[in-house]
C-alpha cells in the first residue's frame, strides 16, 4: 500500500482507552507528531480490531528499548494481537516490543516483526541468533 490511510499505529496506552496522562513527555511529543501528520484515526483504540486488518501496515509502538521483564497487561495484549494478524506486515521501530535490546532475548511474548527500522544505530541484541525470529528484515535510517 502506498496510501497513508493504510498505516495503523499500535500503542498499549491507546488500546487502554487512550490514557495519555501516564506517558513520558518525549513519548507524548512523538505521539502528537504522529497525530499531526497522519491523524488520530490511525491510532488503534481497540485490540480486538488488530487481528482483523487485511491491508496496510501495523506500526509497533507498544514498548521501547530497555525492557527486562515479560510484557504485562495492555502491552501483552497488544503484542499478542499484532502477532495474531497474519495479513498485515508489522513494522517495529528500533526493536520489536518485548525483545531486550542488549541480549536479543524475549523474557516473555514479543512482537514478531516483518521489518525492524533502526533510527539511530543497530542494537546489540539484534545481532544475537535467537533475535532473528523477531526482527524480520532490518532497515536503517542513516543521515548523510
Amino acid at each position: 500500500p502506498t496510501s497513508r490511510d493504510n498505516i495503523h499505529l499500535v500503542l498499549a496506552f491507546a488500546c487502554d482507552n487512550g490514557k495519555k496522562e501516564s506517558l513520558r513527555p518525549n513519548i507524548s511529543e512523538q505521539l502528537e507528531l504522529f497525530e499531526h501528520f497522519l491523524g488520530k484515526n490511525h491510532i488503534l483504540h481497540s485490540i480486538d480490531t488488530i487481528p482483523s486488518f487485511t491491508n496496510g501496515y501495523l506500526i509497533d509502538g507498544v514498548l521501547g528499548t530497555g525492557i527486562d521483564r515479560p510484557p504485562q497487561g495492555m502491552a501483552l495484549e497488544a503484542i499478542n494481537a499484532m502477532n495474531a494478524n497474519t495479513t498485515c506486515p508489522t513494522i517495529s521501530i528500533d526493536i520489536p516490543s518485548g525483545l531486550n535490546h542488549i541480549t536479543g532475548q524475549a523474557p516473555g511474548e514479543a512482537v514478531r516483526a516483518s521489518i525492524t527500522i533502526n533510527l539511530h544505530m543497530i542494537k546489540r541484541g539484534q545481532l544475537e541468533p535467537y533475535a532473528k525470529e523477531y526482527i524480520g528484515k532490518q532497515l536503517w535510517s542513516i543521515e548523510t
Side-chain angles (χ1 to χ4, degrees):
T2 57
S3 170
R4 65 183 187 177
D5 292 338
N6 293 320
I7 297 173
H8 309 286
L9 180 63
V10 179
L11 300 167
F13 95 91
C15 294
D16 191 18
N17 297 315
K19 296 177 183 173
K20 291 184 181 182
E21 57 274 359
S22 63
L23 293 176
R24 294 190 317 252
N26 63 325
I27 302 296
S28 183
E29 180 183 359
Q30 291 300 312
L31 179 59
E32 287 176 20
L33 287 170
F34 183 89
E35 290 174 342
H36 174 76
F37 288 107
L38 289 177
K40 292 182 180 185
N41 61 325
H42 291 276
I43 299 172
L44 300 180
H45 291 281
S46 173
I47 289 174
D48 298 334
T49 63
I50 296 170
S52 64
F53 276 105
T54 57
N55 68 8
Y57 297 94
L58 296 172
I59 307 296
D60 167 19
V62 176
L63 298 171
T65 61
I67 66 131
D68 58 0
R69 60 189 169 142
Q72 301 173 350
M74 297 306 292
L76 177 60
E77 289 183 41
I79 289 168
N80 286 335
M82 282 188 285
N83 287 340
N85 184 308
T86 58
T87 308
C88 295
T90 298
I91 301 172
S92 291
I93 308 300
D94 283 331
I95 195 89
S97 290
L99 196 65
N100 183 287
H101 73 288
I102 295 172
T103 67
Q105 294 180 324
E109 293 297 319
V111 168
R112 295 180 188 282
S114 306
I115 300 168
T116 298
I117 300 173
N118 290 298
L119 299 181
H120 299 286
M121 65 180 81
I122 194 165
K123 310 304 178 270
R124 187 170 105 195
Q126 293 173 331
L127 301 175
E128 298 298 335
Y130 28 81
K132 291 186 187 305
E133 69 181 282
Y134 301 101
I135 300 292
K137 181 178 180 179
Q138 281 190 292
L139 302 175
W140 291 268
S141 170
I142 301 173
E143 280 190 37
T144 55

